[in-house]
């Protein structure tokens, strides 16, 4: 029962932090929406920052699992998977609950690179980059590092443009640029 309450708190925190932001969200709002008592919260987390870290870790695991499965479900060949990255992004961006990237948002609110929240957000980005790097290497890129970085920049740019500027076709535009990059890197 205790771990289910902990899980419920984390899931509720993810939803609210993603929608409303980290600093703008008070513990009372999370407690009210989760229906969990304050004492229960503090039995599991010593502080709001600990809850934020748990929420980011869970979001990272859930998002990366979904993202990789979705990419790999769209294509079997590594070259096609490199382009499927943007099809999956387009699907995510088109969702009713899209509020940008929780990790970009976290790093903006916790700007000090030494802050554990910022470091957790950076780790998420490193793990996504590593996945893209693996795909680039499997596709036969002569310089998998460079291709992965280039494609990651397109991923991140598409997310930011969709969120900040409301450009819902940002992933499709990024895909077109990625097609050129992939063709050049794998020629």
């Amino acid at each position: 029962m205790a771990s289910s309450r902990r899980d419920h708190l984390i899931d509720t925190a993810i939803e609210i932090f993603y929608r409303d932001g980290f600093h703008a969200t008070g513990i009372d709002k999370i407690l009210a929406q989760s229906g969990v008592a304050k004492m229960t919260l503090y039995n599991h987390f010593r502080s709001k920052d600990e809850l934020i870290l748990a929420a980011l870790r869970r979001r990272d695991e859930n998002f990366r699992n979904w993202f990789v499965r979705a990419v790999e479900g769209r294509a079997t060949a590594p070259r096609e998977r490199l382009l499927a990255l943007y099809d999956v992004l387009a699907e995510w961006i088109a969702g009713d609950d899209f509020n940008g990237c929780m990790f970009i948002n976290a790093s903006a609110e916790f700007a000090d690179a030494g802050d554990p929240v910022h470091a957790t957000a950076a780790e998420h980005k490193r793990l996504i980059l590593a996945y893209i790097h693996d795909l680039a290497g499997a596709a036969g890129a002569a310089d998998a590092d460079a291709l992965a970085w280039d494609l990651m920049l397109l991923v991140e740019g598409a997310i930011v443009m969709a969120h900040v500027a409301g450009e819902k076709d940002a992933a499709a535009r990024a895909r077109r640029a990625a097609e050129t990059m992939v063709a050049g890197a794998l020629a």
Side-chain angles (χ1 to χ4, degrees):
M1 182 70 159
S3 73
S4 68
R5 285 186 183 193
R6 182 181 191 282
D7 289 341
H8 182 60
L9 276 167
I10 292 170
D11 292 341
T12 302
I14 289 170
E15 179 184 332
I16 298 171
F17 289 146
Y18 183 55
R19 182 187 65 223
D20 299 339
F22 298 94
H23 293 311
T25 299
I27 289 297
D28 290 339
K29 187 174 196 174
I30 294 168
L31 293 175
Q33 187 165 325
S34 68
V36 173
K38 189 176 276 194
M39 183 57 92
T40 302
L41 171 79
Y42 287 111
N43 283 338
H44 294 288
F45 306 100
R46 291 181 302 215
S47 66
K48 179 181 170 183
D49 281 357
E50 259 192 28
L51 177 59
I52 290 170
L53 289 169
L56 286 172
R57 289 183 189 115
R58 168 89 45 88
R59 174 69 177 186
D60 167 61
E61 180 182 348
N62 291 345
F63 183 85
R64 280 188 305 110
N65 285 336
W66 167 80
F67 189 70
V68 169
R69 277 194 312 271
V71 168
E72 294 177 1
R74 282 182 172 20
T76 54
R79 178 187 182 114
E80 278 68 44
R81 285 180 174 169
L82 289 169
L83 300 175
L85 294 166
Y86 304 93
D87 301 331
V88 172
L89 277 181
E91 176 186 323
W92 175 45
I93 289 167
D96 291 336
D97 62 344
F98 177 75
N99 282 312
C101 173
M102 190 171 188
F103 302 94
I104 293 171
N105 299 344
S107 67
E109 288 194 48
F110 296 85
D112 179 355
D115 188 292
V117 173
H118 189 100
T120 300
E123 178 63 13
H124 169 78
K125 296 302 181 183
R126 279 190 292 278
L127 292 169
I128 296 292
L129 178 62
Y131 174 63
I132 296 171
H133 182 272
D134 290 347
L135 291 177
D143 188 348
D145 289 338
L147 180 58
W149 267 102
D150 292 347
L151 296 177
M152 183 70 171
L153 290 172
L154 289 174
V155 165
E156 295 304 309
I159 294 167
V160 170
M161 290 305 293
H163 180 66
V164 175
E167 295 293 331
K168 294 299 183 179
D169 66 341
R173 290 173 185 254
R175 188 187 202 284
R176 288 192 298 275
E179 288 169 358
T180 301
M181 290 177 178
V182 168
L186 303 182

